[in-house]
Amino acid sequence: DPFTVQLDASGSVTITALDIDNGSDDASGIANYSIDISSFDCSNIGPNTVTLTIEDNNGNTASCTSQVTVEDVLEPNALCQDLTIQLDALGDASITVDQINNGSNDNCGVQSTSIDINTFDCSNVGPNTVTLSVADVNGNNAACTATVTVEDVTNPIANCQDVTVQLDANGAGVLSASDIDTGGSDACGVQTSSIPAEDQSWGCADVGIVHTVVLTITDVNGNPATCTSSVTVEDNIDPQAICNDITIQLDADGAASITFSDIDGGSADACGIQSIEIDSADEDYDCSSVGDNTVTLTVTDVNGNVSQCDGTV
């Protein structure tokens, strides 16, 4: 009688003569049933001819054949393992089947393995589900999933330039990260660019000193990078020269004199005045000076900036 059997997980199956016998008989009774093939394995997949031999109680024998079809209907055993990978400097990464396959097997042998995702980029940072598909040699399929964690551990590239900060009329100057940042870069993108709070404001005390400022950039995945910039503070604002007009009287000898303070009407500078003076020729007067005389006041601040104004004596 035709008969179909399935291989077990070890890739084998056995039958007995009674599995093949379809009611053989003998008038004197049957003493023995036997078959020429009772064990099958993966090499026997498909139809196999099995011969059944019976022997009666008087030693007479007879034979017939039957077709035994061996099937492998067991799915392969798909085994996955989780994986962590890092993006390269270009923001790319790739994996192979072998990195996900954790020893998948089958009773008759694995024909092929494949994964549905094998390349990753910045958009995949974090956990990703990857499916491993396993096919055995007899067309049975199975699948499992693994978590592939993608990491971006590459620091961005920070680029700085040296800058000069100009103080304003109030003796104050400001600096921002964008002033010294010449274009930090990262494969996945730059999130922030910053300098310390104490390096954002400058004053008169900083003039003439070259200061080192550290720029920090952070990419979208939290990786930092730094570079340094030399910051020079300058005061190029002239002082404010203010003059008074004054009237003086010659004494009994026909003489009079003045100093710069007589002309100065409150000259000022945000960073401080170094000197205020008038020309020595304008300090002394006599009878020939009676009337209006123009006096020039020269004001120099502590950083060498100069202003002048005229007063009438």
Side-chain angles (χ1 to χ4, degrees), residues 127-139:
N128 302 266
T129 299
V130 174
T131 300
L132 172 71
S133 297
V134 182
D136 70 12
V137 294
N138 294 310

Side-chain angles (χ1 to χ4, degrees), residues 185-234:
S185 61
D186 183 82
C188 291
V190 173
Q191 181 73 44
T192 61
S193 175
S194 64
I195 58 175
E198 61 268 22
D199 291 330
Q200 297 176 21
S201 299
W202 305 87
C204 296
D206 301 307
V207 173
I209 303 173
V210 178
H211 306 267
T212 298
V213 174
V214 176
L215 172 74
T216 300
I217 67 171
T218 305
D219 68 16
V220 293
N221 294 309
N223 300 300
T226 61
C227 59
T228 59
S229 172
S230 294
V231 176
T232 302
V233 180
E234 292 183 349

Side-chain angles (χ1 to χ4, degrees), residues 10-253:
S10 65
S12 63
V13 66
T14 59
I15 63 173
T16 66
L18 294 180
D19 292 322
I20 301 300
D21 181 55
N22 192 27
S24 302
D25 59 17
D26 185 86
S28 63
I30 297 175
N32 184 51
Y33 296 84
S34 64
I35 51 177
D36 60 342
I37 306 172
S38 62
S39 298
F40 303 88
D41 58 25
C42 295
S43 64
N44 303 119
I45 295 292
N48 300 266
T49 300
V50 177
T51 300
L52 170 69
T53 301
I54 61 173
E55 182 181 359
D56 67 13
N57 288 321
N58 296 307
N60 300 303
T61 62
S63 298
C64 65
T65 61
S66 177
Q67 179 174 288
V68 176
T69 302
V70 177
E71 296 178 339
D72 171 24
V73 296
L74 294 181
E75 293 180 350
N77 187 20
L79 300 173
C80 286
Q81 61 186 348
D82 295 337
L83 179 67
T84 298
I85 58 174
Q86 285 79 41
L87 298 177
D88 61 21
L90 299 177
D92 299 313
S94 62
I95 62 173
T96 64
V97 172
D98 290 341
Q99 291 174 285
I100 300 299
N101 188 6
N102 194 26
S104 300
N105 56 79
D106 183 78
N107 56 354
C108 287
V110 172
Q111 177 72 41
S112 65
T113 56
S114 62
I115 51 178
D116 60 341
I117 306 172
N118 58 17
T119 60
F120 303 86
D121 58 25
C122 296
S123 65
N124 303 118
V125 170
N128 302 266
T129 299
V130 174
T131 300
L132 172 71
S133 297
V134 182
D136 70 12
V137 294
N138 294 310
N140 300 301
N141 298 284
C144 60
T145 60
T147 298
V148 176
T149 302
V150 178
E151 297 179 337
D152 171 20
V153 297
T154 301
N155 291 332
I157 297 174
N159 295 306
C160 287
Q161 65 180 349
D162 296 338
V163 297
T164 298
V165 174
Q166 301 290 343
L167 298 183
D168 61 18
N170 296 317
V174 294
L175 180 70
S176 67
S178 60
D179 294 325
I180 62 176
D181 185 358
T182 59
S185 61
D186 183 82
C188 291
V190 173
Q191 181 73 44
T192 61
S193 175
S194 64
I195 58 175
E198 61 268 22
D199 291 330
Q200 297 176 21
S201 299
W202 305 87
C204 296
D206 301 307
V207 173
I209 303 173
V210 178
H211 306 267
T212 298
V213 174
V214 176
L215 172 74
T216 300
I217 67 171
T218 305
D219 68 16
V220 293
N221 294 309
N223 300 300
T226 61
C227 59
T228 59
S229 172
S230 294
V231 176
T232 302
V233 180
E234 292 183 349
D235 170 22
N236 289 316
I237 302 297
D238 291 335
Q240 184 181 13
I242 301 174
C243 287
N244 286 324
D245 294 333
I246 63 171
T247 299
I248 60 173
Q249 285 78 36
L250 298 178
D251 61 18
D253 295 322

Side-chain angles (χ1 to χ4, degrees), residues 235-286:
D235 170 22
N236 289 316
I237 302 297
D238 291 335
Q240 184 181 13
I242 301 174
C243 287
N244 286 324
D245 294 333
I246 63 171
T247 299
I248 60 173
Q249 285 78 36
L250 298 178
D251 61 18
D253 295 322
S257 64
I258 64 171
T259 66
F260 74 86
S261 60
D262 296 317
I263 301 299
D264 181 29
S267 301
D269 185 83
C271 288
I273 292 175
Q274 180 70 42
S275 66
I276 302 176
E277 59 185 14
I278 57 176
D279 189 275
S280 59
D282 293 326
E283 294 178 355
D284 298 312
Y285 298 89
D286 57 21

